[in-house]
Structure formats: structure tokens, C-alpha cells
């Protein structure tokens, strides 16, 4: 199989660009992303079923509905407010599935005939057979265990028409030449926020939690650049 000249040129340019980006990082620690990057959480448009809350008025009063509550601790509810998200994941899943299917079919057809004229006699015999069979067997198992316990501060980025808030936040910690990255985003109902202005991860709707890292150790654990390029363009 021959690769067209344009495809080969694009492959070489991609390889050189990736090599250049990797070469630029030699001798340098991983770069942290700018502050505020985690506030732009991508999401799909909300359904039109969310209705806006009716406007509340407080005539001749020194207290405004938009101000903090008088009889409870202030909680995040406006754009820019900070809220603490507690993440305590201790999940374990184990599945073991097996399936087996078989089918066999056999058909046969035969006939005999004979004739005679004067001293001539002849006979004929024919047999026909058809046989088919199929067999399917599959087995799969999943054994997964995840444990994660930490806290991260997020910022209210949007207030929905029904009063719920969209939060998003990120945290990066660099130790030597390795960066630990934590990102969290989702939709929070204000009544689920505790008096300490914290919320558990399992009360966040559409929660998106990402925990990973980048740096020299992560680079060593992954495949080399040449292998990744080959696996991307290899037809088989």
C-alpha cells in the first residue's frame, strides 16, 4: 500500500510539530494553565422546561431578597461566589457475563427410478444432503475499584432560570516535575448546599469530575510519540 504524497507530507509535518512541542519541554517543568481556565465548563443548551422564578418584591423593607439570608450562613448563589466541593468516591464494580449459543441443521433428499424396454434396463439413484451449523460463545468480566477523597473550591459561573447554579473549578498542584490536575463542574441546587457552604459530589447534577496529571512520569507511562503516530495512521 502506497501513501499519497500529500498524506505523507501531512504526516511528516504532524510528526515534526509534535516532536518540536516535546523537545521544547526538555529540561523544563510542566506548565500550569492560566487562572480561570476551569471556569469555562462546556455544556449543552438547557431544555426549555426550566421556568424562571417569579420576581419577589419587598416594599418598604430594609431587607432585599437578593441579599444574604438573615437566619442562615451565607451560601453560594450568585455568579462569582465560591463553594467547596467534597469528593469522597469509594466505588467497586464487578460483573461476570457469559453467553453461549449453538444451532445445527441437517437436510437430505434422495430419489430412485428405473425403466425397461425389451431387453434394455437401466436404473438411476441420486442422493443430496445439506448440513449447516453455527456456534457462538462469549465471556466477559469487569472488576473495577476506585477510591478518591479530596476537596476542591469551585466558582458559580451561571444562575439558571429555576434558581439552580452551574459551578466549575479546577486545581493544579506541581510537585517537582509532575502536575496533579483536578477539575469539577456541574449543576447544584442551592438547598443542597450546607451551612458551611460545602456540597458533596453526589448531590451535583451532571457532575463532571476529572483527576489526572501531566509531567515526566506521565510521559514515561504512555507510549512513545512514534508509536502513537503509527497507531493513528495504520490501516490495520
Amino acid at each position: 500500500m502506497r501513501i499519497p504524497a500529500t498524506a505523507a507530507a501531512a504526516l511528516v509535518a504532524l510528526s515534526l510539530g509534535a516532536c518540536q512541542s516535546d523537545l521544547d519541554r526538555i529540561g523544563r517543568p510542566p506548565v500550569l494553565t492560566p487562572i480561570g481556565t476551569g471556569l469555562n465548563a462546556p455544556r449543552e443548551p438547557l431544555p426549555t422546561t426550566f421556568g424562571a422564578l417569579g420576581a419577589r418584591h419587598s416594599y418598604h423593607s430594609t431587607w432585599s431578597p437578593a441579599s444574604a439570608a438573615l437566619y442562615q450562613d451565607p451560601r453560594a448563589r450568585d455568579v462569582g461566589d465560591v463553594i467547596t466541593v467534597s469528593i469522597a468516591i469509594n466505588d467497586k464494580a464487578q460483573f461476570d457475563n457469559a453467553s453461549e449459543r449453538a444451532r445445527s441443521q441437517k437436510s437430505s433428499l434422495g430419489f430412485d427410478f428405473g425403466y425397461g424396454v425389451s431387453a434394455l434396463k437401466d436404473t438411476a439413484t441420486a442422493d443430496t444432503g445439506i448440513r449447516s451449523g453455527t456456534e457462538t460463545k462469549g465471556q466477559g468480566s469487569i472488576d473495577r475499584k476506585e477510591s478518591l477523597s479530596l476537596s476542591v473550591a469551585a466558582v458559580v459561573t451561571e444562575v439558571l432560570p429555576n434558581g439552580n447554579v452551574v459551578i466549575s473549578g479546577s486545581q493544579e498542584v506541581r510537585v517537582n516535575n509532575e502536575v496533579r490536575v483536578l477539575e469539577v463542574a456541574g449543576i447544584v441546587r442551592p438547598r443542597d448546599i450546607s451551612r458551611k457552604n460545602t456540597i458533596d459530589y453526589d448531590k451535583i447534577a451532571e457532575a463532571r469530575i476529572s483527576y489526572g496529571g501531566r509531567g515526566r512520569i506521565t510521559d514515561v507511562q504512555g507510549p512513545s510519540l512514534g508509536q502513537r503516530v503509527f497507531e493513528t495512521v495504520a490501516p490495520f
Side-chain angles (χ1 to χ4, degrees):
M1 174 175 152
R2 299 182 60 184
I3 302 177
T6 55
L11 178 60
V12 172
L14 178 63
S15 302
L16 293 178
C19 292
Q20 183 64 29
S21 61
D22 288 345
L23 293 176
D24 293 340
R25 294 186 302 169
I26 296 179
R28 299 181 182 179
V31 180
L32 301 179
T33 57
I35 297 176
T37 302
L39 300 181
N40 299 323
R43 66 172 179 86
E44 295 293 331
L46 293 175
T48 56
T49 53
F50 285 94
L53 294 177
R56 296 182 298 172
H57 302 280
S58 55
Y59 299 101
H60 309 291
S61 175
T62 58
W63 178 78
S64 172
S67 61
L70 296 176
Y71 303 104
Q72 65 181 11
D73 296 333
R75 305 176 185 180
R77 63 183 62 196
D78 298 324
V79 175
D81 291 347
V82 178
I83 181 175
T84 301
V85 180
S86 299
I87 303 173
I89 301 176
N90 189 12
D91 297 338
K92 183 178 181 180
Q94 185 174 358
F95 302 94
D96 191 1
N97 299 324
S99 60
E100 185 173 354
R101 170 184 164 185
R103 181 176 65 180
S104 179
Q105 181 179 355
K106 182 179 180 181
S107 300
S108 60
L109 176 64
F111 61 91
D112 298 330
F113 68 91
Y115 66 92
V117 177
S118 299
L120 300 178
K121 180 182 290 186
D122 197 358
T123 60
T125 303
D127 293 325
T128 303
I130 301 175
R131 177 178 298 178
S132 64
T134 59
E135 182 177 356
T136 304
K137 185 177 182 181
Q139 183 175 0
S141 62
I142 297 176
D143 190 358
R144 182 180 63 190
K145 184 177 181 181
E146 299 174 348
S147 180
L148 180 64
S149 179
L150 44 84
S151 298
V152 61
V155 179
V156 177
T157 60
E158 184 180 355
V159 180
L160 302 182
N162 62 347
N164 294 340
V165 297
V166 180
I167 65 171
S168 178
S170 63
Q171 183 185 91
E172 297 184 0
V173 178
R174 186 176 69 188
V175 179
N176 295 333
N177 291 304
E178 191 72 16
V179 175
R180 189 264 290 162
V181 183
L182 172 63
E183 298 177 350
V184 61
I187 301 176
V188 173
R189 187 172 56 176
R191 70 180 65 178
D192 292 333
I193 303 176
S194 67
R195 292 179 298 176
K196 297 181 179 180
N197 196 34
T198 62
I199 187 170
D200 296 332
Y201 80 99
D202 55 353
K203 295 181 180 179
I204 301 177
E206 294 296 315
R208 300 294 183 268
I209 301 174
S210 174
Y211 183 86
R214 63 179 186 273
R216 296 183 179 176
I217 298 178
T218 305
D219 293 341
V220 172
Q221 292 177 342
S224 62
L225 177 62
Q227 182 178 356
R228 286 182 290 178
V229 174
F230 176 77
E231 292 177 350
T232 303
V233 301
F236 304 104

